[in-house]
Amino acid sequence: MQRGNVTTPFGRRPMTLGLVRAQLQTAESRPSRGVDKWKVFRDVAEARPLLGLQDRAIAVLDALLSFYPQNELKPDASLVVFPSNAQLSLRAHGIAGTTLRRHLASLVEAGLIQRRDSPNGKRYVHRDQDGAIEEAFGFDLSPLLARAHELAGMAQQVAEEARRFKRAKEALTLCRRDVRKLISAAMEEGAGGDWAAIEAVYVSILAKLPRTPSRTAIEAISEDMALLREEILNQLEDQLNSEKTDGNAVQNGCHIQNSKSESTYELEPCSGEEQGANAEREKIRVADPVKAYPLAMVLQACPQVIDYGPGGQIGNWRDLMAAAVVVRSMLGVSPSAYQEACEVMGPENAAAAMACMLERAHLINSAGGYLRDLTRRAGRGEFSLGPMIMALMKARASERLRVG
């Protein structure tokens, strides 16, 4: 039975209404322009998950296309190829006969090829006296031509989903890494809080991740992990504010003495000139501050400073202080301004402040004046490094969520 360019084969192979409908739609939607067969093939390979095809089916389609002599599938040309199973098997990398027939059937069911059966079920061609093809029996490639635009859209859909899946995995990996570092640093530095319970929550969130997760599952886990990270940051910030309040109370109620021998205040009577100088220093100089945050958190908030450490890495506070000297020179901060910051804040916190300034360098007009202002505020007990570090960590976390 024939209708236009459609042949519905009755014979040894079963015919379904779905196949008849697909052939009719192919004949009706046949475009007026040709398409590159290998571009269509790449689109089919990309859209394989949506088409429900296996890799071997794609290899069989590749073999079928290789039997079509032209690179372009044209609407006014015969698009039927008629290789034997032995020839197809050879070009499909030696696929077994039963496997070959199964994947040919899957290509037909996916609507990518159509069977054009001969009266005896064999594949062959009738040619005229000049050798031109009059009629061919085999596999019709016209569905590829008819569905070229649709297949391209499906390929783009799969590629977009793959991109979103990759970004979701990256976002989860970064968030998971942040939480793991925060928990480890808090435990190592003895920060207050039930960090064993928080770690148990972290482990339970990861345990919900399937072996082969979907993008939706990854995004759900990532959301839970982001909430845990926010909770940890809030807990650490609350602890910092509490320590700052306690520290200010001690400063207001007690006389604080620097424990370092080279910075010990003179307790013996001084001359009037010396007392005036000491009083002026007392307006700025306070006791060495306790390190508010561990080194790991400073580096987490200020990763750019790592490039200026010895050998391009920072493994301890000494490395950070060495990097801060390089950053100080690069930002144009005078040695005296940095020395004063070290005396007032402590060398570790001064180095951490330089790391924070490096992250915000594009927002600071005068780095030297900015550091001197921080030093004066620290001397009056009005500045703490913790909120600056927390702000940078939150900004980086928000940026990762936005990009992801």
Side-chain angles (χ1 to χ4, degrees):
M1 179 179 69
Q2 290 188 346
R3 177 176 174 178
N5 294 328
V6 180
T7 299
T8 53
F10 293 92
R12 292 179 296 178
R13 296 183 180 87
M15 170 55 61
T16 65
L17 293 179
L19 292 178
V20 174
R21 188 181 300 111
Q23 289 185 4
L24 292 174
Q25 290 174 348
T26 297
E28 292 172 358
S29 62
R30 194 158 181 168
S32 58
R33 299 177 58 183
V35 295
D36 187 322
K37 67 178 183 181
W38 297 120
K39 181 183 182 304
V40 179
F41 172 76
R42 289 191 294 270
D43 290 338
V44 171
E46 189 76 25
R48 179 178 59 82
L50 295 181
L51 293 168
L53 297 175
Q54 299 180 6
D55 293 340
R56 301 301 293 273
I58 301 301
V60 171
L61 179 61
D62 184 17
L64 279 174
L65 288 173
S66 70
F67 285 100
Y68 186 74
Q70 306 298 325
N71 282 333
E72 188 177 14
L73 300 176
K74 299 180 180 180
D76 57 350
S78 174
L79 300 180
V80 178
V81 293
F82 38 89
S84 66
N85 282 353
Q87 291 173 317
L88 264 179
S89 177
L90 183 63
R91 295 200 184 182
H93 312 292
I95 188 173
T98 54
T99 306
L100 174 65
R101 287 189 291 272
R102 185 174 70 252
H103 289 305
L104 284 171
S106 69
L107 291 173
V108 173
E109 292 172 3
L112 299 178
I113 61 175
Q114 293 174 353
R115 296 184 188 274
R116 294 286 298 273
D117 280 355
S118 66
N120 63 3
K122 302 296 183 180
R123 300 170 204 149
Y124 57 87
V125 61
H126 290 305
R127 300 180 184 273
D128 59 17
Q129 294 180 351
D130 298 327
I133 296 177
E134 288 184 334
E135 189 172 13
F137 300 97
F139 295 103
D140 191 350
L141 303 177
S142 57
L144 294 174
L145 175 62
R147 299 181 62 188
H149 182 72
E150 176 193 356
L151 293 170
M154 294 174 70
Q156 291 179 0
Q157 181 181 346
V158 171
E160 175 63 18
E161 178 61 24
R163 185 191 69 83
R164 294 174 64 185
F165 182 81
K166 180 181 178 182
R167 298 295 287 274
K169 287 184 62 178
E170 290 176 348
L172 176 58
T173 299
L174 292 174
C175 188
R176 176 186 58 79
R177 190 180 301 164
D178 288 347
V179 172
R180 179 69 270 174
K181 288 182 177 179
L182 286 170
I183 294 174
S184 298
M187 288 181 169
E188 291 173 1
E189 297 293 331
D194 190 353
W195 295 105
I198 294 177
E199 185 175 34
V201 174
Y202 165 78
V203 172
S204 67
I205 291 175
L206 288 181
K208 294 187 294 184
L209 194 64
R211 182 179 296 272
T212 55
S214 63
R215 177 176 58 85
T216 303
I218 290 178
E219 289 176 346
I221 299 298
S222 184
E223 183 177 354
D224 291 343
M225 193 66 70
L227 291 175
L228 178 61
R229 176 176 59 187
E230 187 68 20
E231 180 65 25
I232 292 174
L233 292 176
N234 289 338
Q235 181 170 334
L236 291 173
E237 186 173 12
D238 290 343
Q239 180 179 344
L240 172 67
N241 292 335
S242 176
E243 291 178 356
K244 178 182 176 182
T245 302
D246 295 342
N248 288 341
V250 172
Q251 290 178 17
N252 292 333
C254 307
H255 174 72
I256 303 175
Q257 178 175 321
N258 192 325
S259 61
K260 294 186 178 180
S261 59
E262 63 270 19
S263 303
T264 302
Y265 296 134
E266 296 291 341
L267 300 180
E268 299 178 359
C270 303
S271 65
E273 182 178 352
E274 290 175 339
Q275 290 177 355
N278 288 338
E280 182 64 25
R281 284 196 297 269
E282 285 293 336
K283 294 180 181 179
I284 299 178
R285 180 173 296 180
V286 294
D288 287 344
V290 177
K291 293 191 291 290
Y293 273 76
L295 176 63
M297 292 187 184
V298 175
L299 298 181
Q300 182 75 14
C302 311
Q304 294 186 48
V305 76
I306 297 176
D307 295 335
Y308 301 91
Q313 58 185 1
I314 293 178
N316 50 51
W317 282 104
R318 185 179 300 275
D319 292 342
L320 179 62
M321 287 185 280
V325 173
V326 179
V327 172
R328 172 201 66 74
S329 177
M330 184 185 69
L331 295 181
V333 176
S334 66
S336 61
Y338 184 65
Q339 178 61 30
E340 185 178 0
C342 290
E343 293 175 356
V344 174
M345 300 182 188
E348 294 89 352
N349 281 347
M354 292 303 306
C356 293
M357 289 172 59
L358 178 62
E359 293 290 328
R360 299 168 54 89
H362 61 289
L363 301 176
I364 301 175
N365 293 327
S366 173
Y370 186 85
L371 182 61
R372 288 187 183 277
D373 179 65
L374 294 183
T375 303
R376 285 192 293 269
R377 290 167 55 195
R380 297 192 299 266
E382 299 173 356
F383 169 73
S384 174
L385 190 62
M388 182 182 293
I389 294 177
M390 298 304 302
L392 287 172
M393 293 185 72
K394 287 186 176 181
R396 289 179 59 80
S398 299
E399 178 65 18
R400 288 171 181 165
L401 290 177
R402 184 185 66 81
V403 173

